[in-house]
Amino acid sequence: MSAEPSVYRQPGFLPFLAARVLAMFAVQIMAVVVAWQVYDLTRDPMSLAYVGLAQFLPMLFLLLPAGDLIDRYDRKWILGLSWAVEAVCAGVLLWLSLVHGPVEAFYGVLVAYGCARAFTGPALSSLLPQIVPRERLAAAIAANSMIVRASTISGPVIGGGLYALGGGELTYSLCLLFFAAGVLMLSLVQVRYREDSRPLEATAWKRFTAGIHFIRSRPIILGTISLDLFAVLLGGVVALLPVYAQEVLHVGPTGLGILRSAMAIGEVLVGFYLSLRPFNRHVGMSMFFAVAVFGVANLVFSLSSLFWLSFAALVVAGGADMVSMYIRSSLIQFSTPDVMRGRVNAVNMLFIGSSNELGEFRAGSSAAWFGAVPAAVLGSLCTLGVVGGWMWGFRSLRAVDRFEDAAPKS
């Protein structure tokens, strides 16, 4: 029996979770409110595409430099600064709501918001292994994923409800408050497992591309993150929720908040189970099965005109996504040396950002061209096609049994 304490008793872990929950709460509220507000101003599905694109383009250009900085400087300080910038963005959105600013100004703020998020994701993923010991890392990943996802259940519901009651002024004020509180909680986090070594690459370009070379040299990791990229990029339906809430299901902003929370409910339920009974067998096939279930659930949502069925389909999709995220995160963390975590996680976040923000652009533009329902159905079918293609193209990933199999061979 290990003498190490429970992961929840690790110094710094609970303040880290509290800080991340507060920030995630703000992110979820802002995601619902900005999407609804922009769509309400324009009534054009293409505007939802621009919401995703405005956040993705800064991440595209800044993630690799961000990963390099995270490996070279204090990760907790960088994370706190990025949350502070996101708080400023919430404040500007509050002002735009008060003065009824043009939709172009909202896009401009989202660009700055995307710049901050380029640092937030890699810093969060790279900081966690410095807070808990390696033997508690898998449990920390499961607990972190479950508790953070729990914060996304009430965030969208409250965000949609408060927007219906008080508009953007009330909701953006709450976002600013939560980002600021997250920065304060982060100051209580104790970093106990930082390694003193630093990257030795002479040029900035070599440092930037080290994470890419590391991932390319490991087909198991490349297959894992690229599977998630294309499955969500082609099959995600989150960007179309405002259209479905208003024109298909007729449930308004409150219903939109509930739909946004549905995936989080599935993620929390599965995440809670994984925190109690984490698995480390047949992880490759489990990954493919989870992504296939994600695609089927999105297909059911795409064809549904019943609110309860749409809600249930999104719950199932969220649970499948949690399994996929648990496997992906564990594979990356177990196989990456601490000195390279920032850059490797930056590349991973670039894939995730591409699947989420660029996926929103794909979904919005497809809906503008073909209609929301045909675009969602086509995307779900593409996800299932990706699963089949990756099972054939990444046979080493399909054969992975344990997380340790992805570790570098000595």
Side-chain angles (χ1 to χ4, degrees):
M1 184 71 68
S2 172
E4 289 288 334
S6 164
V7 67
Y8 292 104
R9 299 177 61 187
Q10 291 290 330
F13 184 59
L14 288 180
F16 173 81
L17 287 182
R20 191 167 187 187
V21 164
L22 287 165
M24 182 62 68
F25 206 88
V27 168
Q28 291 298 316
I29 293 176
M30 190 176 295
V32 171
V33 174
V34 168
W36 184 269
Q37 195 170 24
V38 169
Y39 185 69
D40 198 36
L41 287 172
T42 64
R43 296 303 174 99
D44 181 6
M46 197 65 189
S47 65
L48 300 176
Y50 295 142
V51 167
L53 190 63
Q55 297 174 74
F56 170 71
L57 288 179
M59 295 176 66
L60 176 65
F61 292 106
L62 290 179
L63 269 171
L64 292 181
D68 177 49
L69 292 174
I70 289 166
D71 279 337
R72 297 168 63 199
Y73 299 103
D74 190 292
R75 294 168 182 173
K76 189 172 82 169
W77 185 87
I78 292 175
L79 178 58
L81 182 60
S82 66
W83 278 344
V85 173
E86 291 172 36
V88 172
C89 291
V92 177
L93 289 172
L94 168 62
W95 177 76
L96 288 174
S97 297
L98 289 170
V99 301
H100 304 289
V103 68
E104 293 79 10
F106 284 85
Y107 296 142
V109 176
L110 290 176
V111 170
Y113 184 63
C115 291
R117 289 185 62 194
F119 291 84
T120 300
L124 277 167
S125 298
S126 303
L127 181 61
L128 182 58
Q130 294 185 343
I131 298 172
V132 299
R134 185 178 179 86
E135 57 270 22
R136 293 289 181 267
L137 188 54
I141 290 172
N144 174 62
S145 299
M146 182 268 295
I147 292 176
V148 169
R149 291 309 186 201
S151 69
T152 66
I153 295 178
S154 53
V157 174
I158 293 177
L162 290 180
Y163 182 76
L165 292 175
E169 297 89 342
L170 182 60
T171 49
Y172 291 132
S173 298
L174 195 60
C175 290
L176 195 160
L177 176 64
F178 282 137
F179 277 129
V183 173
L184 291 177
M185 288 301 301
L186 186 64
S187 66
L188 303 177
V189 172
Q190 300 180 35
V191 177
R192 304 179 65 201
Y193 300 96
R194 178 192 292 122
E195 297 180 6
D196 294 330
S197 57
R198 287 294 182 265
L200 302 177
E201 290 86 351
T203 66
W205 178 251
K206 288 183 178 180
R207 294 197 304 268
F208 293 166
T209 58
I212 297 176
H213 294 319
F214 181 87
I215 292 173
R216 287 183 60 189
S217 68
R218 288 160 176 81
I220 291 175
I221 300 179
L222 176 61
T224 299
I225 64 175
S226 60
L227 173 65
D228 178 78
L229 164 65
F230 288 102
V232 178
L233 172 64
L234 298 175
V237 297
V238 172
L240 298 179
L241 291 184
V243 181
Y244 268 82
Q246 186 156 313
E247 299 179 7
V248 178
L249 302 174
H250 309 291
V251 292
T254 301
L256 172 62
I258 296 173
L259 290 175
R260 289 286 303 224
S261 295
M263 291 190 68
I265 292 173
E267 290 168 343
V268 168
L269 292 175
V270 174
F272 180 71
Y273 176 82
L274 290 175
S275 70
L276 297 177
R277 299 177 64 88
F279 67 89
N280 191 16
R281 295 298 306 273
H282 312 298
V283 296
M285 285 302 299
S286 298
M287 176 76 152
F288 286 116
F289 179 76
V291 179
V293 171
F294 175 80
V296 172
N298 281 341
L299 181 60
V300 172
F301 170 84
S302 303
L303 296 171
S304 171
S305 59
L306 300 174
F307 180 76
W308 67 267
L309 180 59
S310 301
F311 178 85
L314 291 176
V315 170
V316 173
D321 189 54
M322 171 57 73
V323 175
S324 172
M325 181 173 60
Y326 168 74
I327 296 174
R328 181 179 68 251
S329 299
S330 297
L331 285 172
I332 293 172
Q333 296 287 26
F334 270 88
S335 62
T336 306
D338 188 67
V339 73
M340 288 188 63
R341 288 190 195 277
R343 286 166 291 172
V344 171
N345 282 311
V347 175
N348 184 40
M349 291 299 163
L350 181 59
F351 278 68
I352 295 174
S354 298
S355 63
N356 291 333
E357 275 70 34
L358 194 57
E360 290 184 8
F361 179 80
R362 189 279 311 164
S365 58
S366 298
W369 296 334
F370 310 122
V373 174
V377 170
L378 179 61
S380 301
L381 294 175
C382 287
T383 296
L384 297 177
V386 166
V387 173
W390 261 242
M391 288 187 70
W392 178 81
F394 290 91
R395 298 179 185 180
S396 58
L397 174 58
R398 189 178 64 194
V400 173
D401 184 29
R402 298 179 180 273
F403 293 126
E404 292 82 1
D405 294 345
K409 299 296 187 293
S410 55

